Amino acid sequence: MTIREELERRETEILSPYATLSRNSRGRERKEEECDIRPVFQRDRDRILHCKSFRRLKQKTQVFLQPMGDHYRTRLTHTLEVSQNARTIAKALRLNEDLVEAIALGHDLGHTPFGHAGERALNEICPMGFKHNEQSVRVVEILEKQGEGLNLTWEVRDGILNHKTSGKPHTLEGKIVQLSDKIAYINHDIDDAIRGGILTEADIPEKYAGVLGHSTKTRLDTMVHDVIIHSMDQPEIRMSDEVGEAMRGLRGFMFEHVYMNPAAKGEESKAIHMVTNLYIYYMEHPDLMPEQYQKMLRGCEVTREQAVCDYIAGMTDSYAVKKFQEYFIPESWKN
């Protein structure tokens, strides 16, 4: 018996009857020889962790565009916080922690530079639209490894695709990540907003703070505990009505006072301008994109619009700024 087979056997003994067992995975699009050490979801997690798109998340905006300080979240630190919340919940519920971690680490791989501002810019200018969850699936299926993709299991790709509020994950592990994403960004965005002088703790309405807590730490603790308590030994992942309603209310408060606040988002119009103009420029000059994207165009694998979206979505904030300066700013005006 290999180490992998022994780990798979332990899953059947230890995990909940509602867990997704590694040995029962629907598999990969391309058949592969099994690893002798790692079950399939652990192997997927490792592939995501080592891919280039994951490393680029460190220079992609979460909420604040190029904030003045080292302690604001980036898309990478957001991803790690989602992963930690999800793993805590999965372990307590005896669900598949490897699957949860793989989905969490991969859920934002397709996010644009400049956060949701970049996503809105591509969605508005590209005829086929743009959604970062769908782009994350394109990254792992097609774009990574110079067009080979990561060949992940169906369960991981399903969880990545369906992590948004409107999604419907087919596994409980995917549902944990979907909820953990909201828990993470609501709490760390409050923390960053307080750090940036956009909010104070006293600004949070008592009808939400009274239920969830009066600090980032206590709110996070309340939400995670509530999910575990109300999902234990159940075929669903849920919160209590009271905590769920308070979380949704707090999320609405954040949209009004942070996500749409000119003090926090005042630079977004500039980011949208950059992304929009880069799109137009590459549509006119596709020969300036890297060989990988030109090869896809020559092979008629994608439309020009798709190739341009793929390239821009993969950029970091700093690389997008660099390319904008290269194409649109005279040399004598640059710093």
Side-chain angles (χ1 to χ4, degrees):
M1 180 179 290
T2 65
I3 294 174
R4 170 184 56 80
E5 291 170 331
E6 173 61 21
L7 292 174
E8 291 173 344
R9 185 191 64 78
R10 291 183 196 174
E11 285 184 359
T12 64
E13 295 179 351
I14 297 172
L15 296 187
S16 162
Y18 304 114
T20 305
L21 299 180
S22 300
R23 64 168 57 171
N24 293 338
S25 170
R26 295 194 192 183
R28 310 179 188 279
E29 288 192 328
R30 301 189 303 275
K31 293 289 185 181
E32 295 183 9
E33 183 178 347
E34 295 281 11
C35 178
D36 63 333
I37 297 175
R38 297 166 298 167
V40 289
F41 302 137
Q42 184 181 346
R43 200 175 186 188
D44 284 359
R45 178 204 65 191
D46 295 351
R47 290 180 181 186
I48 292 169
L49 188 65
H50 289 288
C51 78
K52 291 179 180 177
S53 299
F54 183 80
R55 296 197 291 275
R56 290 198 298 270
L57 294 176
K58 68 182 178 181
Q59 291 185 3
K60 291 193 177 190
T61 292
Q62 172 59 25
V63 171
F64 293 88
L65 290 168
Q66 295 187 320
M68 300 299 292
D70 294 332
H71 297 141
Y72 291 86
R73 271 70 172 192
T74 65
R75 190 61 56 178
L76 178 61
T77 54
H78 160 72
T79 293
L80 295 176
E81 291 187 38
V82 173
S83 176
Q84 186 57 56
N85 293 341
R87 287 173 55 209
T88 297
I89 294 169
K91 182 173 285 187
L93 297 178
R94 293 186 297 118
L95 297 176
N96 196 313
E97 191 177 348
D98 289 338
L99 175 55
V100 156
E101 187 172 18
I103 296 170
L105 293 181
H107 83 281
D108 271 354
L109 291 179
H111 232 299
T112 57
F114 313 119
H116 289 288
E119 181 174 19
R120 287 199 300 274
L122 286 182
N123 188 50
E124 289 174 8
I125 195 169
C126 182
M128 61 197 177
F130 181 91
K131 296 179 180 178
H132 79 270
N133 60 313
E134 295 177 359
Q135 188 67 19
S136 294
V137 176
R138 278 189 61 77
V139 168
V140 300
E141 287 186 344
I142 299 170
L143 299 177
E144 266 294 335
K145 297 182 68 176
Q146 295 296 309
E148 294 182 15
L150 301 180
N151 199 29
L152 304 182
T153 57
W154 181 89
E155 291 79 7
V156 173
R157 288 180 285 124
D158 172 76
I160 291 172
L161 178 64
N162 289 292
H163 78 268
K164 292 176 66 176
T165 302
S166 58
K168 297 186 182 299
H170 288 78
T171 65
L172 294 190
E173 289 82 0
K175 292 177 181 178
I176 287 175
V177 175
Q178 183 183 50
L179 192 51
S180 295
D181 185 31
K182 297 177 185 62
I183 292 172
Y185 72 66
I186 289 171
N187 283 290
H188 66 50
D189 290 351
I190 290 174
D191 187 46
D192 281 354
I194 292 173
R195 179 174 291 105
I198 307 299
L199 287 180
T200 67
E201 186 63 47
D203 292 328
I204 298 174
E206 181 60 27
K207 60 182 176 180
Y208 307 136
V211 174
L212 302 174
H214 292 84
S215 69
T216 298
K217 177 181 178 181
T218 55
R219 282 188 290 270
L220 183 60
D221 186 70
T222 297
M223 293 181 193
V224 170
H225 271 83
D226 191 76
V227 174
I228 292 170
I229 290 168
H230 290 88
S231 305
M232 185 68 70
D233 297 324
Q234 299 294 321
E236 62 179 333
I237 303 300
R238 62 180 300 271
M239 284 180 156
S240 65
D241 292 341
E242 181 184 31
V243 171
E245 184 177 347
M247 186 186 79
R248 289 187 292 273
L250 184 56
R251 181 173 179 265
F253 170 83
M254 290 294 290
F255 268 94
E256 180 179 355
H257 292 86
V258 176
Y259 303 140
M260 308 303 292
N261 186 324
K265 314 302 278 184
E267 298 287 287
E268 278 198 351
S269 61
K270 299 175 184 177
I272 291 171
H273 177 77
M274 279 193 286
V275 170
T276 300
N277 280 277
L278 283 172
Y279 179 90
I280 294 170
Y281 195 81
Y282 285 120
M283 284 296 293
E284 297 173 349
H285 305 281
D287 55 300
L288 294 177
M289 293 192 296
E291 173 62 22
Q292 175 183 352
Y293 303 95
Q294 295 187 48
K295 181 179 179 182
M296 292 165 65
L297 287 173
R298 288 195 301 269
C300 299
E301 299 172 31
V302 295
T303 63
R304 184 177 297 188
E305 291 84 358
Q306 183 67 68
V308 171
C309 274
D310 287 342
Y311 182 40
I312 293 176
M315 293 180 176
T316 61
D317 294 9
S318 57
Y319 188 75
V321 170
K322 175 184 175 182
K323 286 299 176 182
F324 183 85
Q325 290 179 333
E326 179 181 334
Y327 300 140
F328 298 106
I329 306 298
E331 284 294 329
S332 59
W333 294 3
K334 297 176 184 178
N335 291 333

Short mmCIF file of all heavy atoms in Angstrom, two decimals, residues 14-19 89-95 172 227-238:
data_model
loop_
_atom_site.label_atom_id
_atom_site.label_comp_id
_atom_site.label_asym_id
_atom_site.label_seq_id
_atom_site.Cartn_x
_atom_site.Cartn_y
_atom_site.Cartn_z
N ILE A 14 -11.95 8.73 9.13
CA ILE A 14 -11.96 9.92 9.97
C ILE A 14 -12.98 10.97 9.52
O ILE A 14 -13.64 11.59 10.35
CB ILE A 14 -10.55 10.56 10.01
CG1 ILE A 14 -9.55 9.59 10.65
CG2 ILE A 14 -10.57 11.89 10.74
CD1 ILE A 14 -8.11 10.04 10.54
N LEU A 15 -13.11 11.16 8.22
CA LEU A 15 -13.92 12.26 7.73
C LEU A 15 -15.42 12.00 7.86
O LEU A 15 -15.87 10.86 7.96
CB LEU A 15 -13.58 12.57 6.27
CG LEU A 15 -12.15 13.07 6.00
CD1 LEU A 15 -12.00 13.49 4.54
CD2 LEU A 15 -11.77 14.22 6.92
N SER A 16 -16.17 13.07 7.85
CA SER A 16 -17.63 13.03 7.92
C SER A 16 -18.21 12.27 6.72
O SER A 16 -17.62 12.26 5.64
CB SER A 16 -18.16 14.47 7.93
OG SER A 16 -19.52 14.51 7.58
N PRO A 17 -19.37 11.65 6.88
CA PRO A 17 -20.02 11.02 5.73
C PRO A 17 -20.40 12.02 4.64
O PRO A 17 -20.70 11.63 3.51
CB PRO A 17 -21.26 10.35 6.33
CG PRO A 17 -21.46 10.99 7.66
CD PRO A 17 -20.11 11.41 8.13
N TYR A 18 -20.38 13.31 4.97
CA TYR A 18 -20.70 14.35 3.99
C TYR A 18 -19.45 14.90 3.30
O TYR A 18 -19.56 15.76 2.42
CB TYR A 18 -21.46 15.49 4.68
CG TYR A 18 -22.71 15.05 5.38
CD1 TYR A 18 -22.83 15.13 6.76
CD2 TYR A 18 -23.78 14.52 4.66
CE1 TYR A 18 -23.98 14.71 7.42
CE2 TYR A 18 -24.95 14.10 5.30
CZ TYR A 18 -25.03 14.20 6.68
OH TYR A 18 -26.18 13.77 7.32
N ALA A 19 -18.29 14.42 3.69
CA ALA A 19 -17.04 14.92 3.11
C ALA A 19 -16.84 14.38 1.69
O ALA A 19 -17.36 13.32 1.33
CB ALA A 19 -15.85 14.51 3.98
N ILE A 89 -12.69 25.76 9.54
CA ILE A 89 -14.07 25.26 9.50
C ILE A 89 -14.10 23.81 9.03
O ILE A 89 -14.77 22.96 9.62
CB ILE A 89 -14.93 26.16 8.58
CG1 ILE A 89 -15.07 27.55 9.20
CG2 ILE A 89 -16.31 25.53 8.36
CD1 ILE A 89 -15.67 28.59 8.25
N ALA A 90 -13.36 23.52 7.97
CA ALA A 90 -13.36 22.16 7.41
C ALA A 90 -12.83 21.14 8.42
O ALA A 90 -13.39 20.04 8.55
CB ALA A 90 -12.52 22.12 6.14
N LYS A 91 -11.77 21.49 9.11
CA LYS A 91 -11.20 20.55 10.08
C LYS A 91 -12.19 20.27 11.21
O LYS A 91 -12.37 19.11 11.63
CB LYS A 91 -9.89 21.10 10.64
CG LYS A 91 -9.21 20.16 11.62
CD LYS A 91 -7.83 20.67 12.01
CE LYS A 91 -6.84 20.46 10.89
NZ LYS A 91 -5.44 20.79 11.30
N ALA A 92 -12.85 21.32 11.69
CA ALA A 92 -13.82 21.14 12.78
C ALA A 92 -15.00 20.28 12.34
O ALA A 92 -15.55 19.49 13.13
CB ALA A 92 -14.31 22.49 13.28
N LEU A 93 -15.41 20.40 11.07
CA LEU A 93 -16.56 19.66 10.55
C LEU A 93 -16.17 18.29 9.99
O LEU A 93 -17.02 17.57 9.49
CB LEU A 93 -17.27 20.48 9.47
CG LEU A 93 -17.88 21.81 9.92
CD1 LEU A 93 -18.50 22.53 8.72
CD2 LEU A 93 -18.91 21.60 11.01
N ARG A 94 -14.88 17.95 10.05
CA ARG A 94 -14.35 16.70 9.51
C ARG A 94 -14.63 16.57 8.01
O ARG A 94 -14.96 15.50 7.51
CB ARG A 94 -14.90 15.49 10.27
CG ARG A 94 -14.44 15.41 11.70
CD ARG A 94 -14.88 14.13 12.40
NE ARG A 94 -16.34 14.04 12.48
CZ ARG A 94 -17.06 13.09 11.90
NH1 ARG A 94 -16.47 12.12 11.21
NH2 ARG A 94 -18.37 13.08 12.02
N LEU A 95 -14.50 17.69 7.30
CA LEU A 95 -14.59 17.68 5.85
C LEU A 95 -13.18 17.68 5.27
O LEU A 95 -12.20 17.70 6.01
CB LEU A 95 -15.42 18.87 5.37
CG LEU A 95 -16.87 18.87 5.85
CD1 LEU A 95 -17.59 20.13 5.42
CD2 LEU A 95 -17.62 17.64 5.34
N LEU A 172 -19.56 20.37 -0.21
CA LEU A 172 -19.59 21.17 1.02
C LEU A 172 -18.29 21.94 1.19
O LEU A 172 -18.29 23.05 1.73
CB LEU A 172 -19.83 20.27 2.23
CG LEU A 172 -21.18 19.57 2.33
CD1 LEU A 172 -21.34 18.91 3.69
CD2 LEU A 172 -22.33 20.55 2.07
N VAL A 227 -20.65 29.25 11.97
CA VAL A 227 -20.70 28.32 10.84
C VAL A 227 -20.48 26.88 11.32
O VAL A 227 -21.21 25.96 10.94
CB VAL A 227 -19.65 28.68 9.77
CG1 VAL A 227 -19.62 27.62 8.67
CG2 VAL A 227 -19.94 30.04 9.17
N ILE A 228 -19.48 26.68 12.16
CA ILE A 228 -19.17 25.34 12.66
C ILE A 228 -20.34 24.76 13.46
O ILE A 228 -20.77 23.62 13.24
CB ILE A 228 -17.89 25.36 13.51
CG1 ILE A 228 -16.68 25.67 12.61
CG2 ILE A 228 -17.69 24.03 14.24
CD1 ILE A 228 -15.40 25.96 13.38
N ILE A 229 -20.89 25.56 14.37
CA ILE A 229 -21.95 25.08 15.25
C ILE A 229 -23.19 24.68 14.45
O ILE A 229 -23.81 23.64 14.70
CB ILE A 229 -22.31 26.16 16.29
CG1 ILE A 229 -21.16 26.33 17.30
CG2 ILE A 229 -23.62 25.82 17.02
CD1 ILE A 229 -21.30 27.55 18.19
N HIS A 230 -23.54 25.49 13.45
CA HIS A 230 -24.80 25.25 12.73
C HIS A 230 -24.64 24.34 11.51
O HIS A 230 -25.63 24.00 10.86
CB HIS A 230 -25.42 26.59 12.33
CG HIS A 230 -25.95 27.36 13.50
ND1 HIS A 230 -25.16 28.23 14.24
CD2 HIS A 230 -27.17 27.34 14.10
CE1 HIS A 230 -25.88 28.73 15.23
NE2 HIS A 230 -27.09 28.21 15.17
N SER A 231 -23.39 23.94 11.22
CA SER A 231 -23.16 23.01 10.10
C SER A 231 -22.70 21.63 10.58
O SER A 231 -22.56 20.72 9.76
CB SER A 231 -22.10 23.59 9.15
OG SER A 231 -22.46 24.87 8.69
N MET A 232 -22.46 21.50 11.87
CA MET A 232 -21.93 20.25 12.40
C MET A 232 -22.87 19.08 12.11
O MET A 232 -24.06 19.13 12.41
CB MET A 232 -21.72 20.39 13.91
CG MET A 232 -21.06 19.18 14.55
SD MET A 232 -19.34 18.97 14.02
CE MET A 232 -18.56 20.37 14.85
N ASP A 233 -22.30 18.04 11.47
CA ASP A 233 -23.05 16.82 11.15
C ASP A 233 -24.30 17.10 10.32
O ASP A 233 -25.31 16.40 10.43
CB ASP A 233 -23.44 16.08 12.45
CG ASP A 233 -22.23 15.61 13.23
OD1 ASP A 233 -21.23 15.23 12.61
OD2 ASP A 233 -22.27 15.67 14.48
N GLN A 234 -24.20 18.11 9.45
CA GLN A 234 -25.30 18.47 8.57
C GLN A 234 -24.84 18.38 7.11
O GLN A 234 -23.67 18.61 6.81
CB GLN A 234 -25.79 19.89 8.86
CG GLN A 234 -26.31 20.11 10.26
CD GLN A 234 -27.58 19.32 10.54
OE1 GLN A 234 -28.45 19.20 9.66
NE2 GLN A 234 -27.68 18.75 11.73
N PRO A 235 -25.76 18.11 6.18
CA PRO A 235 -25.38 18.04 4.76
C PRO A 235 -25.40 19.41 4.09
O PRO A 235 -25.64 19.52 2.89
CB PRO A 235 -26.47 17.13 4.18
CG PRO A 235 -27.67 17.42 5.02
CD PRO A 235 -27.14 17.67 6.41
N GLU A 236 -25.16 20.46 4.86
CA GLU A 236 -25.12 21.81 4.33
C GLU A 236 -24.18 22.67 5.18
O GLU A 236 -23.84 22.30 6.31
CB GLU A 236 -26.51 22.44 4.30
CG GLU A 236 -27.15 22.57 5.67
CD GLU A 236 -28.52 23.23 5.61
OE1 GLU A 236 -28.75 24.01 4.66
OE2 GLU A 236 -29.35 22.98 6.50
N ILE A 237 -23.77 23.80 4.60
CA ILE A 237 -22.93 24.76 5.31
C ILE A 237 -23.76 26.02 5.50
O ILE A 237 -24.25 26.61 4.52
CB ILE A 237 -21.64 25.09 4.52
CG1 ILE A 237 -20.85 23.82 4.24
CG2 ILE A 237 -20.79 26.10 5.29
CD1 ILE A 237 -20.40 23.05 5.47
N ARG A 238 -23.96 26.43 6.74
CA ARG A 238 -24.84 27.55 6.99
C ARG A 238 -24.46 28.29 8.26
O ARG A 238 -23.69 27.80 9.08
CB ARG A 238 -26.29 27.08 7.09
CG ARG A 238 -26.55 26.10 8.24
CD ARG A 238 -28.00 25.67 8.29
NE ARG A 238 -28.90 26.79 8.47
CZ ARG A 238 -29.27 27.28 9.67
NH1 ARG A 238 -28.80 26.74 10.78
NH2 ARG A 238 -30.11 28.29 9.75
#
